[in-house]
Amino acid sequence: MNSTAADISAMENDLSALSPAAANFLPKRHKMIIDGQATDAATGETFAVVDPTSGQEIARVPQAEAVDIDTAVNAARRAFESGPWPRMKPSERERVMLKLADLLERDAVAFSEIESVNSGRTVPNARAFDVDLSVDYLRYMAGWATKIRGETFSPSVPYVPGANFFSYTLREPVGVVAAITPWNVPLGQAIWKVAPVLATGCTMVLKPAEQTPLTALRFGALLEEAGLPPGVVNIVTGFGETAGAALIEHPGVDKIAFTGSTQVGHMIAAAAATTLKRYTLELGGKSAMIVMPDADPEITIPGTAMAIFGNHGQNCCAGSRLYVHRDIFDSIVEGVINFAEGIRLGPALRADTDMGPLVSWKQRERVLGYIESGVSEGAELLTGGHGATEHGAYVQPTVLGNVRQDMQVVQEEIFGPVLVATPFDDLDDAVRQANATKYGLGASIWARDVQLVHSLIPRLQAGTVWVNTHNILDLAVPFGGVKSSGIGRELGEEAIRHHTELKTVTMAI
Ligand code: NAI
Ligand code: MG
């Protein structure tokens, strides 16, 4: 059963359950890492970081403004232009990255607990997606450091008859990268940005989301121990409208790597236009799940439910729109509702919690506002729909039926545990509805007929199509979106390509 206000006795984290390493780290007045130095904001200002199960302050971090961003970008520029990092042998960069991975692995418990308290997600969730996956990605990308290469060509050059030429390409680091990351998988998203920067010999300024800056700062404390030269990775904390905006405008930045809202994605593209900075954008989504009549309900029901309720729906590729063939609509939706009602809401640190609060009270209000708007436009609340406590940022797992495709709840990214369910009559109808969104991050097909699956894949406007699964990401497999879901790809070799520039060399021989 869903928890309700009446049956909740203790929905706040019991911080005495933390390991000593996490408990000692949290209450500090933290500093940024600029040019290898622990640094306060120039103004000395700080802001509060809170535990979303209670709304209580757990730490304070520096509030960077444009002047601090300038210092950080200048440090990254110096490290790029005259520091050792871009000039080191690839195998030496590889070794530093492997050491960083080992250190992160060594401190995995503390990192997972800090992330859990700060983001409201359970410790196993933070461990899997922020820590273990980050360790793997650093190791995966460490391997790429020695494998970056160009191509050779034998040009014909028809207008210089008789002459011979030889051409080749070099892949050179793109330069200073500004990485701006969101709060839904805080350390994981940060390492998705850090790892290709390090593998390619770039330098960077990382600005984690203001809601969840702690694990990035804790990671910053490992850099020196791993042997990373100062200025290669600078970590600044501050708000999007000030620190973030200064970073994307800064002329010393060569490339922006961003994950977050489509709204800020538009601002980055506009800011980059004046200086022709490179940018990759991983933005919002409203991913469709199409369930065909031959789908296996035993896989489909838990699979589609976890696609939306995993990480509390705070997931860019969450399966937030469910389209089910009319013949099996009622039974699939009923199964998903039962699954939702079995999810135990509770404080992130408690071992029997399935789902903690959303990241912040603001996000809770946003999500509840969407649910209200849907219901007021005629959607049927099939389960959930409410917050759960007075202070915590909880939202019950929610399913809305009887939705029209023009409703906000169907068109806009809610970024919370809210599923909209719609029946379809035939394949063309399903494809039309699935594609009727500005987003194009993910889509999933739930079916057993392989031929049908193959015929459907090319028709879906999405950067990733999953079949009989959803939200499966691998570090070797490119990830990103089409349409308003973004530009470029992260992970795999694509990440290397986006962090390098091709230089062409042609010589007369
Ligand atoms: P946001 O896009 O404002 O924040 C993400 C990052 O961008 C943060 O580090 C923030 O400080 C930075 N930022 C904000 N404004 C900026 C600016 N003007 N210039 C430069 N950087 C800026 O996302 P927000 O407001 O936290 O969440 C709102 C909605 O955005 C969510 O409900 C969700 O729909 C979507 N979102 C999508 C994410 C994804 O993974 N694709 C992640 C986070 C949010
Ligand atoms: Mg915002």
Side-chain angles (χ1 to χ4, degrees), residues 269-332:
T274 55
T275 52
L276 290 180
K277 287 185 177 70
R278 277 61 179 132
Y279 57 89
T280 41
L281 305 175
E282 206 269 86
L283 308 175
K286 194 74 183 173
S287 299
M289 306 187 283
I290 298 178
V291 182
M292 299 306 295
D294 69 338
D296 178 351
E298 299 213 350
I299 295 172
T300 304
I301 289 169
T304 54
M306 277 311 289
I308 179 62
F309 300 127
N311 216 45
H312 323 181
Q314 302 170 128
N315 174 2
C316 47
C317 47
S320 47
R321 293 181 298 143
L322 179 64
Y323 295 102
V324 186
H325 192 277
R326 200 176 294 279
D327 290 351
I328 56 166
F329 181 80
D330 288 343
S331 64
I332 295 289

Side-chain angles (χ1 to χ4, degrees), residues 83-104:
W85 184 249
R87 284 148 207 96
M88 274 163 71
K89 289 219 183 327
S91 61
E92 292 171 336
R93 286 206 305 274
E94 177 183 30
R95 205 170 315 132
V96 172
M97 293 181 72
L98 292 174
K99 183 79 195 290
L100 258 180
D102 290 346
L103 295 176
L104 183 54

Side-chain angles (χ1 to χ4, degrees), residues 53-78:
T53 68
S54 63
Q56 296 292 313
E57 176 175 323
I58 47 170
R60 293 195 77 80
V61 298
Q63 184 174 328
E65 305 286 343
V67 57
D68 307 295
I69 297 303
D70 193 46
T71 310
V73 173
N74 290 339
R77 275 242 75 83
R78 274 195 309 279

Side-chain angles (χ1 to χ4, degrees), residues 180-184 189 207-211 238-248 258-265 267-268 282-285 314-317 362-363 366-367 370 413-416 439 441 485:
I180 300 180
T181 52
W183 41 259
N184 55 330
Q189 289 294 331
K207 194 203 82 62
E210 49 269 46
Q211 297 85 349
F239 293 97
E241 297 72 14
T242 48
L247 198 45
I248 65 178
F258 175 76
T259 301
S261 63
T262 296
Q263 185 197 4
V264 175
M267 294 162 69
I268 288 172
E282 206 269 86
L283 308 175
Q314 302 170 128
N315 174 2
C316 47
C317 47
K362 185 175 164 199
Q363 192 64 12
R366 182 185 159 102
V367 171
Y370 271 115
E413 182 177 53
I414 298 176
F415 226 61
Y439 292 114
L441 196 54
S485 289

Side-chain angles (χ1 to χ4, degrees), residues 110-383:
F111 271 101
S112 310
E113 290 182 354
I114 295 163
E115 199 74 288
S116 171
V117 174
N118 188 183
S119 67
R121 294 146 58 241
T122 62
V123 177
N125 181 1
R127 173 78 192 237
F129 297 104
D130 289 291
V131 184
D132 293 347
L133 204 59
S134 293
V135 169
D136 270 11
Y137 196 40
L138 285 166
R139 290 186 180 141
Y140 169 83
M141 272 292 159
W144 268 110
T146 55
K147 290 158 195 74
I148 299 168
R149 75 254 178 271
E151 292 176 297
T152 60
F153 306 84
S154 302
S156 300
V157 198
Y159 55 83
V160 198
N164 286 319
F165 299 94
F166 172 61
S167 298
Y168 62 93
T169 52
L170 297 170
R171 279 206 171 268
E172 299 183 331
V174 70
V176 172
V177 175
I180 300 180
T181 52
W183 41 259
N184 55 330
V185 190
L187 183 66
Q189 289 294 331
I191 302 302
W192 280 27
K193 308 287 188 259
V194 169
V197 161
L198 296 183
T200 52
C202 294
T203 65
M204 76 188 301
V205 177
L206 166 68
K207 194 203 82 62
E210 49 269 46
Q211 297 85 349
T212 52
L214 296 179
T215 45
L217 294 179
R218 179 70 181 71
F219 180 74
L222 303 179
L223 300 174
E224 194 182 345
E225 194 179 347
L228 198 72
V232 175
V233 175
N234 304 276
I235 303 171
V236 295
T237 49
F239 293 97
E241 297 72 14
T242 48
L247 198 45
I248 65 178
E249 298 284 349
H250 201 290
V253 168
D254 299 301
K255 173 197 155 75
I256 302 166
F258 175 76
T259 301
S261 63
T262 296
Q263 185 197 4
V264 175
H266 282 285
M267 294 162 69
I268 288 172
T274 55
T275 52
L276 290 180
K277 287 185 177 70
R278 277 61 179 132
Y279 57 89
T280 41
L281 305 175
E282 206 269 86
L283 308 175
K286 194 74 183 173
S287 299
M289 306 187 283
I290 298 178
V291 182
M292 299 306 295
D294 69 338
D296 178 351
E298 299 213 350
I299 295 172
T300 304
I301 289 169
T304 54
M306 277 311 289
I308 179 62
F309 300 127
N311 216 45
H312 323 181
Q314 302 170 128
N315 174 2
C316 47
C317 47
S320 47
R321 293 181 298 143
L322 179 64
Y323 295 102
V324 186
H325 192 277
R326 200 176 294 279
D327 290 351
I328 56 166
F329 181 80
D330 288 343
S331 64
I332 295 289
V333 172
E334 192 188 313
V336 171
I337 291 169
N338 286 337
F339 190 101
E341 293 179 350
I343 293 173
R344 291 165 301 186
L345 277 190
L349 288 179
R350 210 163 66 193
D352 63 356
T353 292
D354 297 322
M355 186 189 285
L358 301 188
V359 73
S360 65
W361 190 263
K362 185 175 164 199
Q363 192 64 12
R364 178 191 123 120
E365 294 304 287
R366 182 185 159 102
V367 171
L368 290 177
Y370 271 115
I371 297 171
E372 245 168 62
S373 96
V375 170
S376 75
E377 287 182 284
E380 187 185 351
L381 189 61
L382 298 174
T383 189

